[in-house]
Amino acid sequence: MATELQRPTSTTLAGTYTIVGGASNTYEAIDEAVTDDADSLQKTGGTTRGEFGYTAFSVPAGSTINFVRIVLRGWNNGVGSNSQGAHVDINGTDYDSSTQNLSTTPTDYSFDWATNPATAAPWTVDEVNGVGTTGLDAMGHRFAGVGGSEVADFSQGWILVDYTPAAAGGPFPELFVPDSAMCPAEISAIPY
């Protein structure tokens, strides 16, 4: 198995977050390769959705897609049972994951899609590479329930594809070419 991971490179839907820390826009608050909880997107009360573009995947042709995963790092202020979820955007339609309740300490939460939710069929290489009308367009985050004056934060996110590369060499065994130093009796003894 192999994985390919992409981090946000743009904001396609800003949501109603408050940017905490030094980021100048929403995607910069969550795009770190090294965890930095000092920059985050924060929500006080209510719900919100954000969506982020990323560099298209380049999963090799012939691969079998095992799943698409979005990982979101989040936490709450310890009051209530705040929750977050993810979504994949396919041709302008958001397909939501279930939600998970947030811990009071920064924690990574994973949301998986074993099949393409737009087709209910296994993912294809073209779809995860963002090709066609059923291809991945963006990754999304949502705070699904932050009560009244409660506060929740989201500090890091990424999308990855887990896949099995196509077998090298094709379906046929390697062709044996006799060495010119072999005598005719040795050549005729080679099973074929």
Side-chain angles (χ1 to χ4, degrees), residues 53-80:
Y54 55 87
T55 303
F57 290 108
S58 57
V59 173
S63 298
T64 301
I65 309 305
N66 302 315
F67 58 85
V68 170
R69 173 176 289 161
I70 294 177
V71 179
L72 306 171
R73 184 173 180 81
W75 65 95
N76 73 29
N77 68 354
V79 178

Side-chain angles (χ1 to χ4, degrees), residues 2 30 45 50-51 53 58 76 100 107 112 114 116 123 131 153 157 163 181 184:
I30 62 159
E51 198 166 274
S58 57
N76 73 29
Q100 297 179 25
T107 304
D112 292 355
N116 183 332
W123 290 101
V131 177
D153 287 85
Y163 65 95

